[in-house]
Amino acid sequence: MIRTATAADVPVIHTMIRELAAYEKALDEARATEAQLREALFGERPAAYAHIAETDEGAVAGFALWFLNFSTWRGVHGIYLEDLYVRPELRGGGHGKALLTELARICVERGYERLEWSVLDWNEPSIAFYRALGARPQDGWTVFRLTDGELAKLGAAGA
């Protein structure tokens, strides 16, 4: 079962974010707090949205956390999937596909023309899973990121 996350889900979402970060060998980079997640997902102006996958018994199997982006080429919003995570012991049960199916349904319903995400190039099981769904990598594009000191330095240059 897939459902929209509620504020009561923030602790388990936070735990799963940390589980995902550990899987991606970057636990030290996962600094978001439960309070920050609560504000981002359920504050006065939500910046992100989340869905929860549950087992038939009602246990949380995984989550998808996403936000809107905008395509200047298409002229409409899309969904950027920030995190998709299914707990290791529950993988293979259709939870990941169900979460992506729900996001695709939202895109179609709302007239969004893209559902996009990034995946680590060493994460072969996820890459194979995404390819099996019909997703294709965007060859020729490289993700760039500014954080921490570099971000502060560039931001201060514009002040």
Side-chain angles (χ1 to χ4, degrees):
M1 179 179 108
I2 305 300
R3 63 175 175 79
T4 302
T6 68
D9 293 311
V10 168
V12 73
I13 291 170
H14 184 258
T15 297
M16 289 188 292
I17 288 170
R18 297 195 51 80
E19 290 171 12
L20 174 60
Y23 173 76
E24 293 183 351
K25 302 170 181 64
L27 184 56
D28 59 319
E29 295 179 39
R31 300 184 302 217
T33 66
E34 287 185 24
Q36 288 172 314
L37 288 173
R38 187 170 284 103
E39 181 62 27
L41 293 168
F42 304 105
E44 187 175 317
R45 295 181 61 194
Y49 308 91
H51 284 79
I52 299 291
E54 292 182 333
T55 66
D56 291 338
E57 296 77 29
V60 174
F63 78 105
L65 194 144
W66 57 277
F67 56 89
L68 294 179
N69 59 14
F70 184 81
S71 170
T72 57
W73 290 19
R74 299 275 180 126
V76 296
H77 283 291
I79 286 177
Y80 186 84
L81 175 60
E82 179 66 20
D83 286 333
L84 176 69
Y85 180 72
V86 175
R87 291 186 151 149
E89 66 274 14
L90 297 170
R91 291 181 186 154
H95 303 293
K97 182 176 181 181
L99 286 162
L100 285 170
T101 298
E102 176 62 10
L103 297 185
R105 185 197 66 75
I106 291 168
C107 285
V108 171
E109 178 182 274
R110 298 180 186 177
Y112 304 160
E113 295 189 15
R114 289 183 179 168
L115 172 55
E116 297 179 311
W117 61 92
S118 296
V119 62
L120 292 167
D121 57 8
W122 57 259
N123 192 345
E124 290 298 329
S126 293
I127 291 169
F129 168 67
Y130 298 142
R131 285 182 181 271
L133 294 176
R136 296 291 168 248
Q138 297 300 294
D139 295 330
W141 292 85
T142 300
V143 176
F144 282 83
R145 179 177 293 158
L146 278 172
T147 61
D148 303 324
E150 294 85 3
L151 179 63
K153 182 179 176 182
L154 185 60

